[in-house]
């Protein structure tokens, strides 16, 4: 019996060591620094480039596919929605227990971020799935409910939701980092000063489109820390020259096209 116990302990320690080694290995991979090229697969349009980083949908991508991309030399970022319940996801009904209102997207409902501590176990499960599949990082989308105030959560305002949003994103960052994953800030431009030290890279939609508000310049904080900033525009309005000078690796999609084009 004593020998059996020793063997059992040895196996358990071996598994623990493997787990630690896996986390250490993922953390030792290259960081997403300024100038990192990328491929955008997650958002449903074609991208024929082969960037240093590839952004894929977590829940529709198999572990084997993630491994194939990683073995091919790409840094794999896995997309999740952290702020909406999506009616095509397997955990939709569980998420809807904490949903607030229809979002601006078909089939999606804003999560009530004032209750994030009640639904964080659902988001943690997604982050753990990303780690299990071998993703190097995550892209949590729809983390800007606070910007919509009562349009997202009845009875709330931008000001009343702001701290909930910050606390929720910081929790996600802490959870991801504990699993050896990097995490990107998706949009949520106004919160960059509060979150820059928690985030490893950034992804933006349409900051050039709203250039009159000087949105793109907010990413200077990432540039100064040599953290990658990835961006997309849904039309050709804007300048690729500006994107490069602003430290943003940008893609464009022509209005009637289904393909991303690199700047």
């Amino acid at each position: 019996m004593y020998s059996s116990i020793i063997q059992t302990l040895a196996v358990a320690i071996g598994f623990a060591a493997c787990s630690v080694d896996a986390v250490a290995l993922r953390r030792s991979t290259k960081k997403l620094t300024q100038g990192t090229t990328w491929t955008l697969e997650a958002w449903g349009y074609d991208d024929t480039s082969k960037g240093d980083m590839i952004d894929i949908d977590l829940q529709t991508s198999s572990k084997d596919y993630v491994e194939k991309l990683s073995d091919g030399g790409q840094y794999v970022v896995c997309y999740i929605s952290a702020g909406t319940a999506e009616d095509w996801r397997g955990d939709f009904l569980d998420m809807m227990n904490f949903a607030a209102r229809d979002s601006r997207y078909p089939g999606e409902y804003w999560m009530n971020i004032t209750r994030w501590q009640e639904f964080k176990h659902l988001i943690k499960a997604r982050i753990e799935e990303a780690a299990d599949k071998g993703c190097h990082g995550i892209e949590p989308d729809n983390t800007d409910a606070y910007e919509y105030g009562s349009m997202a959560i009845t009875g709330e305002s931008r000001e009343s939701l702001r701290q909930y949003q910050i606390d929720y994103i910081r929790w996600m960052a802490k959870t991801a980092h504990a699993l050896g994953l990097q995490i990107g800030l998706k949009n949520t431009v106004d919160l960059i000063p509060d979150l820059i030290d928690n985030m490893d890279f950034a992804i933006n939609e349409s900051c050039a489109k709203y250039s009159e508000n000087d949105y793109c310049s907010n990413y200077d904080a990432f540039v100064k820390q040599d953290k990658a900033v990835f961006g997309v525009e849904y039309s050709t309005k804007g300048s690729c020259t500006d994107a490069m000078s602003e430290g943003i690796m940008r893609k464009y999609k022509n209005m009637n096209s289904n393909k991303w084009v690199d700047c």
Side-chain angles (χ1 to χ4, degrees):
M1 177 180 288
Y2 178 76
S3 175
S4 176
I5 293 173
I6 293 297
Q7 289 176 353
T8 301
L9 286 172
V11 170
I13 292 170
F15 277 129
C18 287
S19 176
V20 171
D21 287 347
V23 170
L25 178 61
R26 195 174 289 111
R27 281 181 171 156
S28 71
T29 58
K30 68 177 183 178
K31 307 298 183 183
L32 297 177
T33 56
Q34 277 284 293
T36 300
T37 59
W38 67 309
T39 301
L40 179 53
E41 180 184 292
W43 305 357
Y45 303 113
D46 293 334
D47 188 346
T48 58
S49 67
K50 185 176 180 181
D52 298 323
M53 181 271 270
I54 183 168
D55 188 348
I56 66 173
D57 186 89
L58 169 67
Q59 291 169 305
T60 60
S61 300
S62 69
K63 187 172 186 177
D64 287 344
Y65 183 55
V66 174
E67 184 177 354
K68 177 183 176 181
L69 294 172
S70 183
D71 288 348
Q74 287 181 292
Y75 187 105
V76 184
V77 168
C78 292
Y79 171 99
I80 64 172
S81 179
T84 60
E86 304 159 307
D87 64 7
W88 60 92
R89 304 293 187 184
D91 57 0
F92 172 66
L93 293 180
D94 291 330
M95 295 284 281
M96 282 299 290
N97 289 326
F98 308 96
R101 300 185 62 172
D102 287 3
S103 75
R104 53 185 172 160
Y105 304 108
E108 293 190 57
Y109 304 82
W110 286 114
M111 299 298 289
N112 186 342
I113 58 169
T114 68
R115 301 177 63 190
W116 72 265
Q117 298 223 37
E118 297 176 56
F119 66 76
K120 67 181 183 181
H121 64 287
L122 298 172
I123 303 303
K124 184 180 180 183
R126 294 183 176 187
I127 299 174
E128 289 173 340
E129 181 181 351
D132 178 67
K133 285 184 174 178
C135 307
H136 298 96
I138 57 171
E139 175 202 350
D141 196 10
N142 302 310
T143 55
D144 52 357
Y146 83 100
E147 293 185 5
Y148 297 89
S150 62
M151 293 175 62
I153 303 168
T154 303
E156 298 291 344
S157 67
R158 183 186 179 97
E159 292 72 26
S160 68
L161 292 174
R162 179 185 173 90
Q163 194 59 50
Y164 286 108
Q165 195 78 75
I166 292 170
D167 292 345
Y168 176 39
I169 295 174
R170 283 178 175 163
W171 169 81
M172 280 193 286
K174 183 177 180 180
T175 302
H177 291 153
L179 291 168
L181 298 166
Q182 289 199 336
I183 182 171
L185 184 66
K186 178 70 172 290
N187 298 324
T188 322
V189 175
D190 294 340
L191 299 186
I192 289 176
D194 300 280
L195 297 168
I196 179 62
D197 292 331
N198 304 105
M199 312 309 289
D200 303 297
F201 60 96
I203 299 178
N204 175 269
E205 295 174 277
S206 303
C207 72
K209 179 179 179 180
Y210 301 106
S211 57
E212 65 272 15
N213 297 316
D214 206 22
Y215 279 159
C216 295
S217 67
N218 286 281
Y219 290 99
D220 287 349
F222 281 87
V223 174
K224 288 176 181 176
Q225 293 192 14
D226 195 26
K227 295 177 179 179
V229 181
F230 307 102
V232 299
E233 297 292 328
Y234 292 99
S235 72
T236 54
K237 179 181 177 182
S239 168
C240 284
T241 303
D242 289 347
M244 295 301 292
S245 66
E246 291 162 346
I248 300 173
M249 298 300 288
R250 182 177 291 156
K251 295 178 184 289
Y252 284 108
K253 186 184 79 66
N254 291 326
M255 190 62 67
N256 297 318
S257 172
N258 289 319
K259 295 183 179 181
W260 293 112
V261 179
D262 286 331
C263 276

